[in-house]
Amino acid sequence: MATCPECDAEIEVDEFDVDKGDQLSCPECGSNLEVVGLTPIELDIAMDDDDDDDDDDDDADEKEDAEEEDDEEEKDEDLEE
């Protein structure tokens, strides 16, 4: 038996069916939880990977835009010479 850190609900988790790092959902409040300890089972609120992926995509777009601007500046400089 484990406890949801969000709503304190008792969650039945078989320690032989989960590994550290596994994610599950609280049946009471719906929070995404991560197994952080095995004996006894400890749960913590899982970080959203989707948000991290979005940030990485934004960073890649910004880098690409900056490279395009650099290329345009170099072309302008070449034309001025």
Side-chain angles (χ1 to χ4, degrees):
M1 200 59 85
T3 304
C4 174
E6 186 72 23
C7 69
D8 292 327
E10 293 290 322
I11 303 172
E12 190 170 331
V13 180
D14 186 350
E15 64 184 78
F16 299 109
D17 287 342
V18 295
D19 290 319
K20 199 171 186 179
D22 285 354
Q23 294 191 359
L24 50 100
S25 180
C26 175
E28 293 294 319
C29 69
S31 293
N32 292 325
L33 306 173
E34 181 177 353
V35 178
V36 295
L38 293 175
T39 308
I41 297 286
E42 292 181 49
L43 303 173
D44 197 3
I45 297 173
M47 296 295 159
D48 291 333
D49 288 340
D50 293 342
D51 292 342
D52 294 340
D53 291 343
D54 291 344
D55 291 344
D56 293 343
D57 292 343
D58 293 343
D59 292 344
D61 291 342
E62 289 174 7
K63 183 177 179 182
E64 189 175 300
D65 291 344
E67 289 173 355
E68 288 175 4
E69 287 178 17
D70 289 344
D71 290 343
E72 289 177 17
E73 288 176 5
E74 287 177 13
K75 288 178 185 176
D76 289 343
E77 288 175 4
D78 289 343
L79 292 174
E80 290 175 5
E81 292 177 359

